[in-house]
Amino acid sequence: MMLTVVVPCYNERCNVAPLVAALDAALAGLAWETVFVDDDSPDGTAQAVRELARQDSRVRCIRRVGRRGLSSAVIEGALSSSADFVAVIDGDLQHDETRLPVMLAAVQAGADLAIGSRHVDGGDSGGLSSPFRVKLSTIGIRVAQMVTGTRITDPMSGFFLLPRARFEQIAPRLTGQGFKILLDVVMASRRKLTVVEVPYKFRARTAGESKLDALVLVQFAGLLIDKVLRGTVPLRFIAFTLVGAFGVLVNVLVLQLARAAGEDFTTAHTIGTVVAMVANFMLNNQLTYRAQRLRGARAWRGLVLFLAVCSLGSVANIGIARALYAANGKSVLSGAAGAVIGVVWNYAVSATLVWRGR
């Protein structure tokens, strides 16, 4: 087997057969296979892949239950390969599969990594569906280049190819979080990779829905922070803390509005605290724990648990702050220590009870 093409997918049933047919045409003469890593799509993507697999032994399916995320899907798919080279391509037909032989040739000639780029001569990003998505992509690229100093023109690309052995060397240092893995691969390598960027034209989506939204960009920013900190602080803890900081702003705003409406301080503070906790739960559910996102009845149960956890965290926060203040008389340090303990408590218990692995 020369090449394994990993396809992370969610709700891409309509694109499965056309993608396999396109790969068959583009990779004629090569020994290849494709691995669809499906995050338990409700539209029956895994079933569609298996129907093809019964007819074509080059098609495989990994169906993941209880977890989601493009990066972790790519890692699992690549590590299931025994081929000499591994490529990653989206399941939405927007990447140009005919460029795979060119990318493979570049790596066989000595490059460590070949990237399909929309932003080198001959490339085109016209397939982005709206000016908003163009703006998101542009911001992500500029931030990545600024933070990392990389000269890669398309660090947000999800279309790349490298030797399997190289990926296996890098894999233990990947975060596996979020929906953008290329930059993670580049930054996780212990040595600078020799990169070749191959131009391609980004097509318009013909079926399904785009996964690119503002939350994906926020997660990408979290990945950059994680790499800058060299993994010393868990990425999810960073996200959880940032969400908590936003909650403080919500609390203060609602408190002031309630006071302006004539409520006494205690009532206004209570209203602000509850609203802030609900806002924090919603953001954490959409961002921090997106791969374990709760829906329907599970979301309501999770909200109740989150409110209970945060209430206990508030008690611990106040109790520890009071004890430290009684011992040293320094209100700022005591309050800060209590706040830190409260955040750590909320994070640890929430991860265990509210968004525990399913």
Side-chain angles (χ1 to χ4, degrees):
M1 187 66 63
M2 175 68 70
L3 175 66
T4 295
V5 181
V6 179
V7 185
C9 51
Y10 184 76
N11 283 348
E12 299 287 2
R13 179 185 179 92
C14 294
N15 292 323
V16 170
L19 178 57
V20 172
L23 290 173
D24 187 39
L27 301 175
L30 291 175
W32 65 276
E33 67 172 355
T34 182
V35 180
F36 288 82
V37 186
D38 176 58
D39 286 353
D40 200 24
S41 300
D43 74 340
T45 298
Q47 180 182 353
V49 176
R50 286 174 177 150
E51 288 173 356
L52 276 177
R54 293 189 187 101
Q55 307 166 31
D56 190 339
S57 61
R58 299 172 301 180
V59 179
R60 292 197 285 124
C61 177
I62 297 176
R63 178 187 172 199
R64 309 198 306 167
V65 177
R67 61 195 193 279
R68 287 182 59 185
L70 183 144
S71 293
S72 59
V74 167
I75 293 170
E76 290 188 35
L79 294 181
S80 76
S81 168
S82 297
D84 295 331
F85 301 93
V86 173
V88 178
I89 190 170
D90 285 352
D92 53 17
L93 301 175
Q94 292 187 280
H95 293 154
D96 184 359
E97 70 289 334
T98 65
R99 306 303 286 163
L100 285 171
V102 180
M103 296 162 70
L104 178 61
V107 175
Q108 287 177 316
D112 294 309
L113 174 66
I115 300 172
S117 175
R118 300 162 292 179
H119 304 296
V120 292
D121 289 342
D124 183 7
S125 60
L128 287 173
S129 58
S130 68
F132 174 70
R133 297 188 189 284
V134 172
K135 190 66 174 178
L136 281 181
S137 181
T138 302
I139 291 173
I141 290 170
R142 289 179 179 174
V143 170
Q145 291 173 335
M146 179 180 64
V147 172
T148 66
T150 181
R151 295 184 178 180
I152 296 173
T153 65
D154 200 354
M156 296 280 283
S157 178
F159 185 29
F160 58 93
L161 185 152
L162 74 169
R164 177 183 54 82
R166 181 75 63 208
F167 186 88
E168 289 194 348
Q169 291 174 351
I170 297 171
R173 295 184 292 279
L174 297 173
T175 66
Q177 300 292 323
F179 288 77
K180 297 296 178 183
I181 188 173
L182 173 60
L183 195 64
D184 197 3
V185 168
V186 172
M187 297 182 70
S189 177
R190 293 192 183 280
R191 67 174 182 82
K192 186 176 181 179
L193 298 176
T194 303
V195 177
V196 172
E197 293 192 83
V198 175
Y200 81 100
K201 295 183 178 180
F202 191 68
R203 302 167 179 151
R205 173 181 276 273
T206 58
E209 296 181 358
S210 174
K211 312 300 187 295
L212 178 64
D213 58 24
L215 291 180
V216 169
L217 188 61
V218 171
Q219 287 187 322
F220 188 64
L223 171 64
L224 294 178
I225 294 172
D226 177 74
K227 292 303 181 183
V228 169
L229 296 178
R230 298 184 181 276
T232 54
V233 180
L235 180 56
R236 278 185 174 166
F237 182 74
I238 294 172
F240 192 90
T241 303
L242 292 175
V243 169
F246 175 77
V248 172
L249 296 178
V250 172
N251 193 335
V252 172
L253 176 61
V254 174
L255 185 151
Q256 294 301 320
L257 291 175
R259 289 287 287 161
E263 299 291 344
D264 61 83
F265 178 80
T266 300
T267 301
H269 183 61
T270 300
I271 294 172
T273 300
V274 172
V275 172
M277 287 192 292
V278 172
N280 281 2
F281 171 80
M282 294 175 65
L283 276 178
N284 279 314
N285 197 42
Q286 291 290 328
L287 176 62
T288 311
Y289 296 97
R290 189 166 186 168
Q292 292 90 27
R293 186 163 42 190
L294 304 175
R295 294 179 173 85
R298 294 178 64 87
W300 287 106
R301 175 181 176 275
L303 175 60
V304 172
L305 280 174
F306 186 77
L307 292 176
V309 166
C310 290
S311 296
L312 292 174
S314 297
V315 172
N317 177 348
I318 295 170
I320 290 172
R322 284 180 174 177
L324 290 175
Y325 180 70
N328 58 41
K330 297 180 180 180
S331 59
V332 175
L333 292 178
S334 299
V340 169
I341 295 298
V343 169
V344 172
W345 163 270
N346 290 342
Y347 171 73
V349 180
S350 292
T352 303
L353 294 181
V354 182
W355 288 282
R356 64 182 182 277
R358 291 177 288 160

